[in-house]
Amino acid sequence: MKYQNNFKNINWTIFSILLFVGAMFLVYTIYNLYSTAHITTGEEAQSRAGLRWGFLHTIIAFIIVLLSSYLALGWKRIFPFNVPIAIIIAGLSYMLLFLTFTIGWIGMLGMMGFLVSFLIGLVLMVSYIVFFLLKCVGRKG
């Protein structure tokens, strides 16, 4: 397929940009949480770095492992949808990371990161579906 290289470039460029931006947000957030660790009152004390693990974390981790396993088994067969699904799984991992290693409202940043990755993965998948449908209609007409 002549569009295969274009799909690969689009997929991996978006994936790389999202990983870089996510890593920068993570480092910035953890740095700020540790720099305000000495504050014990006020709004700054509501969000802090800390470890917590509960039933919700176990469920999310199980979903990540399950989706990653299915994605690994069908990586080549579901091209070009493989990387958008990987983007969604990476967003879910980003959310788990924030929910596990932060306490307070700062965990919402992980949920926002998952929402952004989910929407970007969904937009990529829908655009690929529309492309393939237009390509099929173009052949018949």
Side-chain angles (χ1 to χ4, degrees), residues 77-114:
R77 285 179 281 179
I78 61 172
F79 179 81
F81 302 100
N82 51 4
V83 176
I85 293 171
I87 289 172
I88 294 171
I89 294 171
L92 196 58
S93 301
Y94 186 76
M95 182 177 75
L96 180 63
L97 193 72
F98 266 89
L99 292 177
T100 303
F101 294 107
T102 61
I103 297 171
W105 289 100
I106 200 71
M108 293 292 283
L109 186 61
M111 291 178 199
M112 287 176 47
F114 170 65

Side-chain angles (χ1 to χ4, degrees), residues 52-74:
R52 62 181 174 152
W53 189 270
F55 188 65
L56 176 67
H57 299 86
T58 305
I59 291 172
I60 295 171
F62 179 75
I63 291 170
I64 290 170
V65 169
L66 188 68
L67 290 175
S68 299
S69 300
Y70 284 133
L71 181 62
L73 291 174

Side-chain angles (χ1 to χ4, degrees), residues 6-140:
N6 291 339
F7 289 150
K8 281 183 183 179
N9 290 337
I10 291 169
N11 281 343
W12 290 111
T13 301
I14 292 174
F15 188 74
S16 300
I17 290 170
L18 287 176
L19 278 180
F20 178 74
V21 170
M24 297 313 303
F25 270 115
L26 180 67
V27 168
Y28 178 75
T29 302
I30 297 297
Y31 174 76
N32 280 337
L33 288 177
Y34 279 114
S35 68
T36 59
H38 63 283
I39 299 173
T40 58
T41 60
E43 292 181 16
E44 292 86 8
Q46 290 179 2
S47 293
R48 60 193 181 278
L51 179 65
R52 62 181 174 152
W53 189 270
F55 188 65
L56 176 67
H57 299 86
T58 305
I59 291 172
I60 295 171
F62 179 75
I63 291 170
I64 290 170
V65 169
L66 188 68
L67 290 175
S68 299
S69 300
Y70 284 133
L71 181 62
L73 291 174
W75 182 261
K76 289 191 184 235
R77 285 179 281 179
I78 61 172
F79 179 81
F81 302 100
N82 51 4
V83 176
I85 293 171
I87 289 172
I88 294 171
I89 294 171
L92 196 58
S93 301
Y94 186 76
M95 182 177 75
L96 180 63
L97 193 72
F98 266 89
L99 292 177
T100 303
F101 294 107
T102 61
I103 297 171
W105 289 100
I106 200 71
M108 293 292 283
L109 186 61
M111 291 178 199
M112 287 176 47
F114 170 65
L115 179 65
V116 167
S117 69
F118 181 78
L119 291 175
I120 290 173
L122 197 63
V123 165
L124 281 172
M125 285 190 262
V126 168
S127 63
Y128 293 150
I129 289 171
V130 168
F131 175 80
F132 289 130
L133 288 175
L134 290 176
K135 189 176 168 189
C136 288
V137 170
R139 284 186 187 168
K140 293 180 181 179

